[in-house]
Structure formats: structure tokens, C-alpha cells
Amino acid sequence: MTLPVFPVHSPDTGIRRQVLAESPAQMVVSFRFESGAEGKPHNHPHVQSTYVAKGVFEFHRAGETFLLRPGDSLVIPSGVTHGCTCLEEGELIDVFSPRRDDFL
């Protein structure tokens, strides 16, 4: 059995996104950020878990600010406005539930 390889997309300047695995119930996505790149504030109906694989990020979630480093993680509830700034080049591994069909 061959696993699918998903294409890399650049949703904004300095950001590369690649789906790693997906099912209707859940999706795993890699986001690679250059230093200074921003995940602009947004919200969506999916529950999101973010894990910092590499780099340093300043996250904003519902008016709170968090400094996240490798090994740190954060849950973003459904509908909550959030965004981040990459302070040191890195990678986030995000899990969305249910799957983000807009990423396919």
C-alpha cells in the first residue's frame, strides 16, 4: 500500500503548509515558518492542537499571548480567534478535528 503524498502550499509570505495525514475526523498538517512570518488572526470551526517541533513562536489566542518553544503545545477551541508570529525559524505540527477540507 502506498501512502498519499500531499503537495506543499504557500498560504502566505514565509509559510509553507503540507498535509501529512487526513481522514474525515482528523487532519495532521505541517506548517514551516521563516523568521518573522505571521499566521494572521483567524478562526475556524475546527478544534486545533498545535505542537512546536522547531523554532520559537508568539501565539495569540482569544486575547492571551503565549511564548512557545520546541516541545510546547497549545489547544485552540472551535471558533476562537488566534494567530502567531514566528520569532525563530521553525515548524508547527497542527492537528485539526474534524478535517480541514479547505486544505485538500
Side-chain angles (χ1 to χ4, degrees):
M1 180 173 146
T2 303
L3 294 174
V5 176
F6 296 94
V8 176
H9 295 278
S10 184
D12 214 338
T13 303
I15 302 172
R16 293 184 321 251
R17 177 186 77 215
Q18 184 176 27
V19 172
L20 301 177
E22 61 86 20
S23 76
Q26 188 176 70
M27 176 180 268
V28 181
V29 182
S30 165
F31 287 89
R32 293 176 188 237
F33 284 76
E34 295 175 6
S35 287
E38 293 183 46
K40 296 188 175 35
H42 64 285
N43 64 62
H44 43 73
H46 314 83
V47 175
Q48 175 181 340
S49 299
T50 296
Y51 172 79
V52 180
K54 176 184 172 190
V56 179
F57 294 83
E58 183 178 83
F59 263 84
H60 305 282
R61 181 187 70 184
E64 295 181 279
T65 300
F66 304 89
L67 185 65
L68 300 181
R69 299 179 180 280
D72 291 339
S73 60
L74 180 72
V75 171
I76 300 158
S78 173
V80 170
T81 299
H82 60 284
C84 69
T85 302
C86 180
L87 304 178
E88 180 182 300
E89 181 181 337
E91 180 182 19
L92 301 175
I93 303 297
D94 288 354
V95 177
F96 297 94
S97 181
R99 170 179 65 203
R100 295 268 319 241
D101 289 339
D102 57 318
F103 285 2
L104 294 176

